[in-house]
């Protein structure tokens, strides 16, 4: 379904720009794609231009088009189905393809785009299993193209300050890391309504979500993960757990039901954007975004513990739980000269009026960083939180990706395929371990990872 192929000019700006704009095509135009399409069409229109959109769902493609035109008054873009991805590249000649689809399909678009001469920016996780990781490494070696992973979490003020402090050597050599990530009954529950609840599609939260956290640790301690041991289970969501607690599920989805007093309900008709993005387009692919979090067919975990040994000898002790009354991160680094403690809680932003869609409720981050040196008084390091999506990290990564002359990144936050693969492999190894009960050596899953060298090599 190629439409509007006649459209030769693209979003915004006059053709008299002195800068040659970089051309971007996007595959996967759901909620997250906007983090890329909006800044290209608005803030970075002098240096970037959107040239084509591709998705498996033609209704969502048409909505993405309407939304961009309504917001930025840009001309119609050519639209392509998933089967027309190669055709999109041939016809629109992008410099860079942005991959924003459901996770398990990332690899096929990454590889095809590179084979056709494009660089790629992919959303996290880079991919969902070891075989696909190896296919991506092979494609990079064959094509020599660049692949960036949009690890926006690195760009937050708190994580950046942690990196700066650890790199300064203030706690000496890092011997041990303890990290707890908490997802609440709003954001955390939402993974159990969507495609993320199918392991085949998302790799489970060990891959889909924890790739962010494993990437932070890999970057903070600049080491390569070697051995993983993990335990995980579905402890809260899902039919059996609900039944055990006396909750009996009568409907597969929330929209169209009487959801009075159900704190887990999501009504897609209550929010116009959710309705237009998902409900109105179910007729094209059957995808329901509001499935019951206590349904029987959920096959991912919601309570997970992982141990990782790194090539430096450092051990990470990590947990993720997704049904909590609060959300945020607690991480502690135990070093040869002291200890660094970082916490960042995500709380509702009282300065923004409550949203009818609980998922659009604006939150803010409350960070705290304490250094506890050996034989000296502990002290706090102040952190200035930035404004913008994901604790201010989205605007910074957008600037780095799309500005003509982005500021030099002093904190090595730009992430390439090595970082994408190293973090995904920890989750992939954990998934293997959930089944086997045995520790997993990462080189057994991906022999090439050690060969790509230190994780900082790319930067
Ligand atoms: N970095 C972050 O903070 C962050 C936040 C949210 C999502 N993400 C990532 O962004 C990506 C998209 O997530 P989302 O929340 O937008 O999900 P979504 O469900 O809203 O959008 C996914 C889109 O992919 C399309 N799609 C599905 N299968 C496809 C295929 N085979 N070919 C082409 N298109 C296909 C769907 O139709 C949909 O439009 C995911 O990889 C997710 O992990 C990252």
């Amino acid at each position: 379904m190629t439409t509007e192929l006649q459209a030769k000019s693209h979003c915004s700006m006059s053709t008299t720009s002195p800068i040659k704009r970089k051309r971007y095509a996007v595959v996967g135009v759901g909620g997250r794609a906007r983090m890329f399409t909006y800044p290209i069409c608005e803030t970075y229109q002098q240096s970037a231009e959107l040239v084509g959109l591709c998705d498996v769902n033609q209704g969502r493609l048409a909505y993405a088009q309407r939304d961009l035109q309504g917001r930025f008054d840009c001309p119609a873009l050519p639209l392509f189905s998933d089967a027309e991805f190669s055709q999109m590249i041939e016809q629109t000649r992008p410099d860079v393809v942005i991959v924003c689809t459901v996770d398990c399909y990332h690899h096929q678009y990454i590889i095809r785009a590179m084979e056709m001469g494009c660089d790629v920016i992919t959303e996290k996780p880079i991919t969902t299993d070891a075989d696909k990781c190896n296919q991506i490494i092979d494609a990079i070696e064959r094509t020599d193209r660049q692949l960036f992973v949009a690890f926006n979490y690195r760009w937050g003020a708190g994580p950046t300050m942690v990196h700066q402090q650890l790199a300064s050597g203030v706690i000496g050599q890092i011997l041990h890391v303890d990290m707890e990530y908490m997802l609440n009954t709003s954001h955390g529950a939402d993974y159990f309504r969507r495609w993320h609840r199918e392991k085949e599609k998302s790799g489970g939260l060990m891959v889909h979500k924890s790739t962010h956290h494993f990437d932070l640790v890999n970057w903070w301690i600049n080491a390569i993960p070697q051995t993983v041991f993990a335990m995980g289970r579905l402890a809260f969501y899902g039919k059996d757990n609900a039944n055990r607690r006396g909750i009996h599920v009568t409907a597969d989805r929330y929209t169209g039901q009487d959801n009075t007093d159900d704190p887990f309900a999501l009504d897609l008709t209550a929010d116009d954007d959710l309705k237009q993005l998902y409900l109105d387009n179910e007729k094209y692919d059957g995808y329901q975004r509001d499935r019951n979090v206590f349904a029987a067919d959920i096959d991912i975990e919601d309570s997970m513990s992982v141990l990782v040994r790194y090539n430096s000898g450092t051990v990470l002790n990590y947990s993720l739980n997704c049904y909590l009354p609060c959300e945020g991160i607690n991480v502690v680094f135990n070093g040869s000269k002291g200890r660094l403690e970082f916490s960042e809680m995500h709380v509702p932003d009282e300065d923004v009026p409550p949203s009818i869609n609980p998922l659009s409720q604006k939150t803010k981050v409350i960070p705290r960083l304490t250094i506890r040196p050996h034989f000296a008084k502990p002290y706090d390091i102040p952190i200035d939180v930035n404004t913008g999506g994901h604790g201010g990290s989205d605007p910074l990564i957008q600037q780095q990706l799309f500005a003509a002359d982005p500021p030099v990144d002093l904190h090595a936050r730009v992430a390439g395929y090595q970082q994408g693969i190293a973090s995904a492999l920890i989750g992939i190894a954990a998934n293997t371990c959930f089944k086997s009960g045995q520790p997993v050596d990462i080189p057994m899953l991906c022999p090439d990872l050690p060969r790509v060298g230190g994780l900082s090599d790319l930067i």
Side-chain angles (χ1 to χ4, degrees), residues 27-36 54-58 60-61 81-83 99-106 108-109 122-125 150-153 187 191 194-196 201 208-209 211-212 277-278 285 287 289 390 394:
V27 56
V29 294
R32 186 60 180 168
R34 296 162 175 183
M35 125 96 187
F36 304 96
C54 174
D55 200 289
V56 75
N57 185 308
Q58 59 177 323
R60 210 149 23 245
L61 266 178
S81 72
D82 54 325
V99 178
C100 227
T101 66
V102 165
D103 302 344
C104 64
Y105 306 117
H106 286 183
Q108 64 194 42
Y109 293 114
T122 184
E123 255 306 345
K124 48 55 54 175
F151 279 131
N152 50 335
Y153 213 153
H187 184 204
Y191 294 108
R194 298 182 278 164
W195 51 261
H196 311 64
K201 294 216 165 91
H208 175 83
K209 188 70 189 169
T211 189
H212 272 307
L277 198 51
Y278 302 108
D285 59 7
Y287 171 60
R289 198 235 175 273
H390 288 105
D394 284 354

